[in-house]
Amino acid sequence: MIDQQQNNLSAKELAEQNFKAGYNCAEAVARTFRDMLNLNIPDEALKMASGFGGGLGHAGCMCGALSGATMVLGMLQGRASNDQNRGPVYSSAQEFHNIFSEQFGAACCRVLNCHEFGSPEQRQTCLKITSTTAELLSKYIQGKQLNQCK
């Protein structure tokens, strides 16, 4: 699932590598943490992140990198059944949303990146947001000790 070269990369570097490889912002973040944390999530399941790029399929709403980060938090704290408490993942998602918004000044894709989709400027801005989001999420996960075995 993860090769030795990826083992030595930071979350920021691996997210950047994934984005440059052609994964959208949400896919890049979800894939990065699946690989870094050795989560048992097959590539087939990561397809769920595909529609979140461009702020929900280019709608320009919530940033795909933030959506991907929220998916990662769900991977770590989400419920497997409806009788489990959703409070922890809700709290983490809201808290990380606030961290993201404070870092970038917004959470909305069209506000964060006003460049024409597909342009070099748009790609560069998304690359920076995606890699920085991965870095922020890595720090958040470590700070909250969410990567500990349950």
Side-chain angles (χ1 to χ4, degrees), residues 26-80:
E27 293 167 329
V29 171
R31 181 171 294 277
T32 292
F33 286 90
R34 185 274 311 259
D35 292 348
M36 289 191 75
L37 300 176
N38 294 313
L39 300 173
N40 186 24
I41 300 167
D43 285 341
E44 188 72 16
L46 289 178
K47 289 169 44 175
M48 289 186 286
S50 295
F52 290 92
L56 299 174
H58 294 187
C61 296
M62 189 167 83
C63 173
L66 178 56
S67 295
T70 304
M71 285 184 250
V72 170
L73 293 170
M75 289 182 219
L76 297 173
Q77 296 181 292
R79 305 184 309 163

Coordinates of all heavy atoms in Angstrom, one line a residue, residues 26-80:
A26 N -9.4 16.7 -2.7 CA -10.0 15.8 -1.7 C -9.4 14.4 -1.8 O -9.1 13.7 -0.8 CB -11.5 15.7 -2.0
E27 N -9.2 13.9 -3.0 CA -8.6 12.6 -3.2 C -7.2 12.6 -2.6 O -6.8 11.6 -2.0 CB -8.5 12.2 -4.7 CG -9.9 12.0 -5.3 CD -9.8 11.9 -6.9 OE1 -8.9 12.6 -7.5 OE2 -10.6 11.2 -7.5
A28 N -6.4 13.6 -2.9 CA -5.0 13.7 -2.5 C -4.9 13.6 -0.9 O -4.1 12.9 -0.4 CB -4.4 15.0 -3.0
V29 N -5.8 14.4 -0.3 CA -5.8 14.4 1.2 C -6.2 13.0 1.8 O -5.5 12.5 2.6 CB -6.6 15.5 1.8 CG1 -6.8 15.4 3.3 CG2 -6.0 16.9 1.4
A30 N -7.3 12.5 1.3 CA -7.8 11.2 1.8 C -6.7 10.1 1.5 O -6.4 9.3 2.4 CB -9.1 10.8 1.1
R31 N -6.2 10.0 0.3 CA -5.2 9.0 0.0 C -3.9 9.2 0.8 O -3.3 8.2 1.3 CB -4.8 9.2 -1.5 CG -3.8 8.2 -2.1 CD -3.7 8.3 -3.6 NE -5.0 7.9 -4.2 CZ -5.3 6.7 -4.5 NH1 -4.5 5.7 -4.2 NH2 -6.5 6.4 -5.0
T32 N -3.5 10.4 1.1 CA -2.3 10.7 1.9 C -2.4 10.1 3.2 O -1.5 9.4 3.7 CB -2.1 12.2 2.0 OG1 -1.7 12.7 0.7 CG2 -1.0 12.6 3.0
F33 N -3.5 10.3 3.9 CA -3.7 9.8 5.3 C -4.0 8.3 5.3 O -3.6 7.7 6.3 CB -4.7 10.7 6.1 CG -4.1 12.0 6.4 CD1 -4.2 13.1 5.6 CD2 -3.3 12.1 7.5 CE1 -3.6 14.3 5.8 CE2 -2.7 13.3 7.8 CZ -2.8 14.4 7.0
R34 N -4.7 7.8 4.3 CA -4.9 6.4 4.2 C -3.5 5.7 4.2 O -3.2 4.7 4.9 CB -5.7 6.0 3.0 CG -6.1 4.6 2.8 CD -5.1 3.6 2.1 NE -4.5 4.1 0.9 CZ -4.9 3.7 -0.3 NH1 -5.9 2.9 -0.5 NH2 -4.2 4.1 -1.4
D35 N -2.6 6.2 3.4 CA -1.3 5.6 3.3 C -0.4 5.9 4.5 O 0.3 5.0 5.0 CB -0.6 6.1 2.0 CG -1.3 5.7 0.7 OD1 -2.1 4.7 0.8 OD2 -0.9 6.2 -0.4
M36 N -0.4 7.1 5.0 CA 0.5 7.5 6.1 C 0.1 6.7 7.4 O 1.0 6.4 8.2 CB 0.5 9.0 6.3 CG 1.3 9.7 5.2 SD 1.6 11.4 5.7 CE 2.9 11.2 6.9
L37 N -1.2 6.6 7.6 CA -1.7 5.9 8.8 C -1.9 4.5 8.6 O -2.4 3.8 9.6 CB -2.9 6.7 9.3 CG -2.7 8.2 9.6 CD1 -4.1 8.8 10.0 CD2 -1.7 8.4 10.7
N38 N -1.6 4.0 7.4 CA -1.8 2.5 7.1 C -3.3 2.1 7.5 O -3.5 1.0 8.1 CB -0.8 1.7 7.9 CG 0.6 1.9 7.3 OD1 0.8 1.9 6.2 ND2 1.5 2.1 8.3
L39 N -4.2 2.9 7.0 CA -5.6 2.6 7.3 C -6.1 1.5 6.3 O -5.7 1.5 5.1 CB -6.5 3.8 7.1 CG -6.2 4.9 8.1 CD1 -7.0 6.2 7.8 CD2 -6.4 4.5 9.6
N40 N -6.9 0.6 6.7 CA -7.4 -0.5 5.8 C -8.5 0.0 5.0 O -9.7 -0.3 5.2 CB -7.8 -1.7 6.7 CG -8.1 -2.9 5.9 OD1 -7.7 -3.0 4.7 ND2 -8.9 -3.7 6.4
I41 N -8.2 0.9 4.0 CA -9.2 1.4 3.1 C -8.7 1.2 1.7 O -7.7 1.7 1.3 CB -9.4 2.9 3.4 CG1 -9.8 3.1 4.8 CG2 -10.3 3.5 2.4 CD1 -9.8 4.6 5.3
P42 N -9.4 0.4 0.9 CA -9.0 0.1 -0.4 C -9.1 1.3 -1.4 O -9.9 2.2 -1.1 CB -9.9 -1.1 -0.8 CG -11.1 -1.0 0.0 CD -10.7 -0.3 1.3
D43 N -8.4 1.2 -2.5 CA -8.5 2.3 -3.5 C -10.0 2.4 -3.9 O -10.4 3.6 -4.2 CB -7.7 1.9 -4.7 CG -6.2 2.1 -4.5 OD1 -5.8 2.9 -3.5 OD2 -5.4 1.6 -5.2
E44 N -10.7 1.3 -4.0 CA -12.1 1.4 -4.4 C -12.9 2.3 -3.5 O -13.8 3.1 -4.0 CB -12.7 0.0 -4.4 CG -14.0 -0.2 -5.0 CD -14.1 0.0 -6.5 OE1 -13.0 -0.1 -7.2 OE2 -15.2 0.2 -7.0
A45 N -12.6 2.3 -2.2 CA -13.4 3.1 -1.3 C -13.0 4.6 -1.4 O -13.8 5.5 -1.2 CB -13.1 2.6 0.2
L46 N -11.7 4.8 -1.8 CA -11.3 6.2 -2.0 C -12.0 6.9 -3.1 O -11.9 8.2 -3.2 CB -9.8 6.3 -2.2 CG -8.9 5.9 -0.9 CD1 -7.4 6.0 -1.3 CD2 -9.2 6.9 0.2
K47 N -12.6 6.2 -4.0 CA -13.4 6.8 -5.0 C -14.4 7.8 -4.5 O -14.9 8.7 -5.2 CB -14.0 5.7 -5.9 CG -13.0 5.0 -6.7 CD -13.5 3.7 -7.4 CE -14.9 3.8 -8.1 NZ -15.2 2.6 -8.8
M48 N -14.9 7.6 -3.3 CA -15.9 8.4 -2.7 C -15.4 9.9 -2.6 O -16.2 10.8 -2.6 CB -16.2 8.0 -1.2 CG -17.0 6.7 -1.2 SD -17.6 6.3 0.4 CE -16.1 5.7 1.2
A49 N -14.1 10.1 -2.6 CA -13.6 11.5 -2.5 C -13.6 12.2 -3.8 O -13.5 13.4 -3.9 CB -12.1 11.4 -2.0
S50 N -13.8 11.5 -4.9 CA -13.6 12.1 -6.3 C -14.6 13.3 -6.5 O -14.2 14.3 -7.2 CB -13.8 11.1 -7.4 OG -12.8 10.1 -7.3
G51 N -15.8 13.2 -6.1 CA -16.8 14.3 -6.4 C -16.6 15.5 -5.6 O -17.3 16.5 -5.8
F52 N -15.7 15.5 -4.6 CA -15.5 16.7 -3.7 C -14.6 17.7 -4.3 O -14.5 18.8 -3.7 CB -15.1 16.3 -2.3 CG -16.2 15.5 -1.6 CD1 -16.3 14.2 -1.6 CD2 -17.1 16.2 -0.8 CE1 -17.3 13.5 -0.9 CE2 -18.1 15.6 -0.1 CZ -18.2 14.2 -0.2
G53 N -13.8 17.4 -5.3 CA -12.9 18.4 -5.9 C -13.6 19.6 -6.5 O -14.7 19.5 -7.0
G54 N -12.9 20.7 -6.4 CA -13.5 21.9 -7.0 C -14.7 22.4 -6.2 O -15.6 23.1 -6.7
G55 N -14.7 22.1 -4.9 CA -15.8 22.5 -4.0 C -17.1 21.9 -4.4 O -18.1 22.5 -4.7
L56 N -17.1 20.6 -4.5 CA -18.2 19.7 -4.9 C -18.5 19.8 -6.4 O -19.4 20.5 -6.8 CB -19.5 20.1 -4.1 CG -19.5 19.9 -2.6 CD1 -20.7 20.4 -1.9 CD2 -19.2 18.5 -2.2
G57 N -17.6 19.1 -7.1 CA -17.8 19.0 -8.5 C -17.7 20.3 -9.3 O -18.5 20.5 -10.2
H58 N -16.9 21.2 -8.9 CA -16.7 22.5 -9.4 C -17.8 23.5 -9.1 O -17.9 24.5 -9.7 CB -16.5 22.5 -11.0 CG -15.3 21.8 -11.4 ND1 -14.9 21.8 -12.7 CD2 -14.3 21.1 -10.8 CE1 -13.8 21.1 -12.9 NE2 -13.4 20.7 -11.7
A59 N -18.6 23.2 -8.1 CA -19.7 24.1 -7.7 C -19.1 25.3 -6.9 O -19.7 26.3 -6.7 CB -20.7 23.4 -6.8
G60 N -17.8 25.1 -6.4 CA -17.2 26.2 -5.7 C -17.5 26.3 -4.3 O -17.2 27.3 -3.6
C61 N -18.2 25.3 -3.7 CA -18.6 25.3 -2.3 C -17.4 24.9 -1.4 O -16.3 25.2 -1.7 CB -19.8 24.5 -2.1 SG -21.3 25.1 -3.0
M62 N -17.6 24.1 -0.4 CA -16.6 23.8 0.6 C -15.4 23.2 -0.2 O -15.5 22.3 -1.0 CB -17.1 22.8 1.6 CG -16.0 22.6 2.7 SD -16.7 21.8 4.2 CE -16.5 20.1 3.7
C63 N -14.2 23.7 0.1 CA -12.9 23.3 -0.5 C -12.8 21.8 -0.4 O -13.0 21.2 0.7 CB -11.8 24.0 0.3 SG -10.2 23.4 -0.2
G64 N -12.4 21.2 -1.5 CA -12.2 19.8 -1.5 C -11.1 19.3 -0.6 O -11.2 18.2 0.0
A65 N -10.1 20.0 -0.3 CA -9.0 19.6 0.6 C -9.6 19.5 2.0 O -9.3 18.6 2.8 CB -7.9 20.6 0.6
L66 N -10.5 20.5 2.4 CA -11.2 20.4 3.6 C -12.2 19.3 3.7 O -12.3 18.6 4.7 CB -11.9 21.7 3.9 CG -12.7 21.9 5.2 CD1 -11.9 21.5 6.4 CD2 -13.4 23.2 5.3
S67 N -12.9 19.0 2.6 CA -13.7 17.8 2.5 C -12.9 16.5 2.7 O -13.4 15.6 3.5 CB -14.5 17.8 1.2 OG -15.3 18.8 1.0
G68 N -11.8 16.4 2.1 CA -10.9 15.3 2.2 C -10.5 15.1 3.7 O -10.4 14.0 4.2
A69 N -10.1 16.2 4.3 CA -9.7 16.2 5.7 C -10.8 15.7 6.6 O -10.6 14.9 7.5 CB -9.2 17.6 6.2
T70 N -12.0 16.1 6.3 CA -13.2 15.7 7.1 C -13.4 14.2 6.9 O -13.8 13.5 7.9 CB -14.4 16.5 6.7 OG1 -14.2 17.9 6.8 CG2 -15.7 16.1 7.5
M71 N -13.2 13.7 5.7 CA -13.3 12.3 5.4 C -12.3 11.5 6.3 O -12.6 10.4 6.8 CB -13.1 11.9 4.0 CG -14.3 12.3 3.1 SD -14.1 11.8 1.4 CE -13.9 13.4 0.7
V72 N -11.1 12.0 6.4 CA -10.0 11.4 7.2 C -10.4 11.4 8.6 O -10.3 10.3 9.3 CB -8.7 12.1 7.0 CG1 -7.6 11.6 8.0 CG2 -8.1 12.0 5.6
L73 N -11.0 12.5 9.1 CA -11.4 12.5 10.5 C -12.5 11.4 10.7 O -12.6 10.7 11.7 CB -11.9 13.9 10.9 CG -10.8 14.9 11.0 CD1 -11.4 16.3 11.2 CD2 -9.8 14.6 12.1
G74 N -13.4 11.3 9.7 CA -14.4 10.2 9.8 C -13.8 8.8 9.8 O -14.3 7.9 10.5
M75 N -12.7 8.6 9.0 CA -12.0 7.4 9.0 C -11.5 7.0 10.4 O -11.5 5.9 10.8 CB -10.8 7.4 8.0 CG -11.2 7.4 6.6 SD -9.7 7.4 5.6 CE -10.1 8.5 4.2
L76 N -11.1 8.0 11.1 CA -10.5 7.8 12.4 C -11.5 7.8 13.5 O -11.2 7.1 14.6 CB -9.4 9.0 12.7 CG -8.2 9.0 11.7 CD1 -7.4 10.2 12.0 CD2 -7.4 7.7 11.8
Q77 N -12.6 8.5 13.4 CA -13.5 8.7 14.5 C -15.0 8.3 14.2 O -15.8 8.4 15.1 CB -13.5 10.1 15.1 CG -12.2 10.5 15.7 CD -12.3 12.0 16.2 OE1 -12.5 12.9 15.4 NE2 -12.3 12.1 17.5
G78 N -15.2 8.0 12.9 CA -16.6 7.9 12.5 C -17.3 6.6 13.1 O -16.6 5.8 13.7
R79 N -18.5 6.6 12.9 CA -19.4 5.5 13.4 C -19.5 4.4 12.5 O -19.6 4.6 11.3 CB -20.8 6.0 13.7 CG -20.8 7.2 14.6 CD -22.2 7.7 15.0 NE -23.1 7.9 13.8 CZ -24.4 8.0 13.9 NH1 -25.0 7.9 15.1 NH2 -25.2 8.2 12.9
A80 N -19.5 3.2 13.0 CA -19.8 2.0 12.2 C -21.2 1.6 12.3 O -21.7 0.8 11.5 CB -18.9 0.8 12.6

